Amino acid sequence: MKQPAVYMITNKVNGTLYTGVTSDLIKRIWQHRNGITPGFAARYGCKLLVWYELHETMLSAIAREKQLKAGSRMAKGILIAAANPAWRDLFDELV
């Protein structure tokens, strides 16, 4: 899926959240799930895709990621709950 996207992954329901941006969502989530890239998400075992938003341009995706990262944990939880109340893993829907 080559399209700019902002996403949130977690390690469990209401667990640690990681917010990221990518130009290839399927590839990036696969990398998280397989521990390919070290960093925050790998350290905390964030592998479950619970929210994503597709964008037309990388610039708009980056702006949205910055907006989300500047927001509160509660705001992110509300956003996830609105689209995915059970916090289920959305990765299989992408592939």
Side-chain angles (χ1 to χ4, degrees), residues 8 17 51 72-85 87:
M8 284 189 260
L17 282 175
W51 180 89
S72 68
R73 159 76 190 209
M74 182 182 293
K76 292 173 193 166
I78 290 169
L79 194 60
I80 294 166
N84 184 7
W87 286 54

Side-chain angles (χ1 to χ4, degrees), residues 51-78:
W51 180 89
Y52 66 93
E53 187 176 86
L54 302 176
H55 287 262
E56 292 204 18
T57 68
M58 201 61 191
L59 286 177
S60 68
I62 291 168
R64 178 66 162 149
E65 179 203 27
K66 288 180 181 181
Q67 179 189 36
L68 291 172
K69 284 187 171 186
S72 68
R73 159 76 190 209
M74 182 182 293
K76 292 173 193 166
I78 290 169

Side-chain angles (χ1 to χ4, degrees), residues 2 6 10 21 25 32 41 49-50 53 62 72 78 86-87 95:
K2 278 277 198 173
V6 182
T10 188
V21 65
L25 187 59
H32 282 301
L49 176 65
V50 291
E53 187 176 86
I62 291 168
S72 68
I78 290 169
W87 286 54
V95 292

Side-chain angles (χ1 to χ4, degrees), residues 21-37:
V21 65
T22 184
S23 62
D24 188 341
L25 187 59
I26 292 172
K27 179 180 176 183
R28 186 66 181 120
I29 300 305
W30 183 88
Q31 290 171 336
H32 282 301
R33 292 170 78 93
N34 291 283
I36 303 297
T37 309

